[in-house]
Amino acid sequence: IIEDIDNMLPEDLLNELQELSSSYNSKKVILIDLKEKQDDKEWRTKMHKLIRQHHPDLESTTMIEENKKFIKVIKNRRGSRNNIRWRNDLGTYCKFRLYKENIDTMNAIHLICKLAGLRPSIFGYAGTKDRRAITTQLITAFKVPPTKLHHINALTQKLRLGNFEYCKNRLTLGDLAGNHFTITLRNVKGSGERIQKAMTSLEDTGFINYYGLQRFGTSHIPTYQIGKELLLGNWHKSIELILQPSRTDSAKTTEARQHWWKHRDPSAALRLLRSRRGIEYYLLKGLVAHGSTSLLTAIMMIPRNARLLYVYSYQSLIWNLVASRRIKEFANDWYHQQMKADGININNLENRQKDFSLCGMYRKLIVKPRDMTWSTVKYNDPTIPLCSTDLDQLRQNKIANAPIAGGKNMALLLNFSLPSSSYATMALREIIKCDTSWHQQRKLSADFIKIQEETTKGNF
């Protein structure tokens, strides 16, 4: 048995537990029918333990009724004074602002779920933010009181949650007007005239509105390949691509992927992941429960927003390829030609599985940044920030030792806004004229870490 409540109970029962945990109704009772687990005391003990871990405000007991055993779950009356009553007039969602560093949106949500005992499906957000940035965005959570989320601030340095309020509507992908960026480009070479020319060109002319390369993942298996197989209904191939070992994974995730790839034993691979709640975790959990009967059902265990990113990635690839041709020439059937080469009919994109259907939409070929400003500063220490984050501003922190008038290095500070689904990396590529792929970004990260280590040594 995998020791996780998600594996031991059906989804409708998990949702009932979540709703009871979030509600003020201390009189409601949930009965869990033990069925074939009637005499399995070890299983019942694990269930009681997991309920307490995931929902500290609930209590469970084993009861017998008409010679059948049940687990009875009620609100913990001892802690009822601390519960917040969920008023219907406030709406069914708690909306908050998520500030994060060095973690992407989906992994941030998984971390919140782990620390608060919640499920990813109750969260909504308008878009995903990259790991390689310090970002702030709005999140909604279904019937979760702020007190259940606020304590996370004391448990991790990667996230900060605040500005809690109630609302009536869930945030979904695309519910945003755009994004504002503050970017520091370090070690800039070139004259002030050359920099001015490049920035004026970006502001006046704009850039080709390509989907950023991060849209296609950071693994040697691009996400668009998985998206293509999902659109074709090749469930077995899709699973193999998702679980194929990758050089960019953590040690535990790599070990789990390699074990599944070699032995095709999802239970053993899931145990190796332990508490890591990434896409692999949910897919392996689905394979444990449904792998022998329905590969599609196993795939559907992956959180919906993560599933959608695969097919959106394929859609983005097609758009990028056609955009490149459109800049050079004009034609109307390129989409048909490109997708036909992949075995996909553009006139039949309404997949039997709703999540893998692509309705299509118009997208601007050229985009101009809005509210754009820039300046250059001098600095010496490459490890010291040159601009403040939202958290710095909230805490009224001042950036120490930056900038320095006579510094030996130069940095370009940019501020601009882009519409929804436009990528700052593509705007930057227009300025710096260099590779923005994840391979290049990893190299830059490695170089920066080396500089940090050398600077640290020099300070001792």
Side-chain angles (χ1 to χ4, degrees):
I1 297 174
I2 306 300
E3 295 188 13
D4 192 290
I5 195 169
D6 288 3
N7 293 322
M8 301 173 77
L9 294 176
E11 183 153 349
D12 58 342
L13 200 48
L14 291 170
N15 290 335
E16 277 193 71
L17 291 173
Q18 176 61 49
E19 190 157 345
L20 178 59
S21 175
S22 302
S23 73
Y24 187 71
N25 184 4
S26 60
K27 295 181 180 180
K28 183 176 180 179
V29 176
I30 295 176
L31 294 179
I32 301 175
D33 190 347
L34 297 178
K35 297 180 181 178
E36 70 275 7
K37 301 293 186 180
Q38 292 277 325
D39 301 317
D40 192 337
K41 186 176 180 180
E42 181 183 358
W43 190 93
R44 295 199 308 270
T45 301
K46 287 179 180 178
M47 178 56 65
H48 289 303
K49 180 180 177 182
L50 287 168
I51 289 173
R52 288 195 301 271
Q53 288 177 346
H54 284 251
H55 302 289
D57 51 352
L58 302 182
E59 60 182 54
S60 61
T61 56
T62 300
M63 59 174 287
I64 301 176
E65 189 174 302
E66 297 181 357
N67 296 322
K68 289 183 65 178
K69 290 182 179 179
F70 296 85
I71 288 181
K72 177 182 176 181
V73 184
I74 61 173
K75 198 77 172 178
N76 185 340
R77 290 182 174 83
R78 290 171 296 177
S80 61
R81 290 182 181 178
N82 297 322
N83 292 329
I84 294 178
R85 184 170 186 172
W86 197 273
R87 290 167 43 191
N88 291 331
D89 61 312
L90 294 177
T92 53
Y93 294 92
C94 173
K95 183 165 68 174
F96 61 94
R97 197 170 294 276
L98 170 66
Y99 169 96
K100 61 179 187 62
E101 298 184 16
N102 199 34
I103 184 172
D104 63 38
T105 299
M106 285 190 290
N107 281 318
I109 294 297
H110 293 320
L111 180 56
I112 292 171
C113 292
K114 178 182 176 182
L115 296 175
L118 300 171
R119 309 192 70 238
S121 59
I122 71 170
F123 291 95
Y125 41 90
T128 57
K129 308 299 181 190
D130 298 335
R131 178 179 70 86
R132 307 178 65 85
I134 298 174
T135 68
T136 305
Q137 67 184 116
L138 291 174
I139 307 287
T140 55
F142 176 70
K143 286 191 173 181
V144 179
T147 50
K148 199 172 180 70
L149 297 167
H150 184 266
H151 79 284
I152 291 173
N153 292 327
L155 302 178
T156 176
Q157 294 297 313
K158 290 185 175 182
L159 311 175
R160 288 293 182 271
L161 284 63
N163 291 37
F164 296 97
E165 60 180 288
Y166 297 105
C167 67
K168 296 182 179 180
N169 298 314
R170 173 190 174 99
L171 283 173
T172 58
L173 291 175
D175 288 344
L176 74 165
N179 296 287
H180 185 76
F181 301 88
T182 299
I183 298 174
T184 302
L185 286 176
R186 294 179 182 269
N187 200 26
V188 173
K189 307 296 183 183
S191 65
E193 181 183 355
R194 188 176 178 187
I195 294 171
Q196 178 72 22
K197 183 178 178 180
M199 300 308 299
T200 301
S201 173
L202 176 63
E203 184 176 35
D204 294 344
T205 308
F207 60 97
I208 301 174
N209 194 25
Y210 288 122
Y211 285 96
L213 300 184
Q214 63 267 42
R215 183 85 165 185
F216 310 119
T218 58
S219 169
H220 65 290
I221 302 294
T223 50
Y224 61 76
Q225 286 190 13
I226 300 170
K228 183 179 78 171
E229 298 303 331
L230 290 173
L231 288 171
L232 291 170
N234 295 334
W235 315 129
H236 178 76
K237 181 66 175 177
S238 299
I239 290 171
E240 286 201 329
L241 290 173
I242 294 172
L243 292 179
Q244 188 168 327
S246 169
R247 299 185 300 273
T248 60
D249 287 329
S250 65
K252 285 294 179 185
T253 303
T254 298
E255 185 182 11
R257 284 176 179 266
Q258 289 176 341
H259 191 281
W260 181 85
W261 195 258
K262 183 177 180 180
H263 303 286
R264 301 303 164 108
D265 183 347
S267 296
L270 190 55
R271 282 193 291 270
L272 291 171
L273 278 177
R274 297 181 184 176
S275 61
R276 301 188 70 85
R277 296 291 187 97
I279 289 172
E280 305 83 6
Y281 168 85
Y282 292 101
L283 180 54
L284 288 169
K285 186 176 69 171
L287 289 172
V288 170
H290 308 288
S292 60
T293 56
S294 174
L295 294 179
L296 174 59
T297 306
I299 291 173
M300 298 301 282
M301 294 290 284
I302 298 173
R304 184 173 183 271
N305 282 349
R307 296 197 305 267
L308 291 176
L309 287 179
Y310 290 127
V311 289
Y312 289 169
S313 175
Y314 176 78
Q315 189 179 39
S316 301
L317 173 71
I318 297 298
W319 196 93
N320 279 4
L321 292 172
V322 172
S324 292
R325 291 187 64 181
R326 177 64 184 84
I327 293 294
K328 297 178 181 178
E329 49 185 308
F330 182 82
N332 292 317
D333 62 346
W334 292 336
Y335 286 106
H336 299 263
Q337 295 174 17
Q338 189 64 51
M339 297 178 77
K340 184 178 180 181
D342 291 330
I344 297 174
N345 184 350
I346 195 172
N347 297 315
N348 188 28
L349 288 178
E350 291 189 5
N351 199 291
R352 287 175 295 176
Q353 298 303 317
K354 186 177 179 181
D355 279 359
F356 305 141
S357 293
L358 295 173
C359 59
M361 61 180 292
Y362 285 101
R363 175 181 173 85
K364 289 188 175 181
L365 184 64
I366 303 293
V367 164
K368 293 182 181 181
R370 304 187 313 272
D371 310 318
M372 186 169 169
T373 62
W374 67 88
S375 61
T376 57
V377 296
K378 296 285 187 176
Y379 68 96
N380 287 325
D381 189 343
T383 65
I384 292 178
L386 298 176
C387 62
S388 58
T389 67
D390 289 346
L391 193 60
D392 289 328
Q393 295 174 25
L394 186 65
R395 293 175 172 175
Q396 297 183 339
N397 293 340
K398 293 184 178 180
I399 303 300
N401 302 324
I404 298 174
K408 60 183 180 181
N409 301 312
M410 182 166 63
L412 176 63
L413 306 182
L414 299 91
N415 281 277
F416 57 86
S417 298
L418 293 177
S420 172
S421 195
S422 292
Y423 288 76
T425 50
M426 296 297 99
L428 290 179
R429 192 169 70 166
E430 193 68 21
I431 302 169
I432 60 180
K433 310 294 185 185
C434 72
D435 187 1
T436 58
S437 69
W438 72 271
H439 301 278
Q440 175 65 12
Q441 297 306 311
R442 287 190 70 191
K443 181 180 182 301
L444 290 174
S445 292
D447 292 343
F448 182 70
I449 291 171
K450 186 178 179 181
I451 291 172
Q452 281 185 310
E453 292 172 348
E454 291 174 351
T455 302
T456 303
K457 289 178 182 177
N459 292 332
F460 284 98

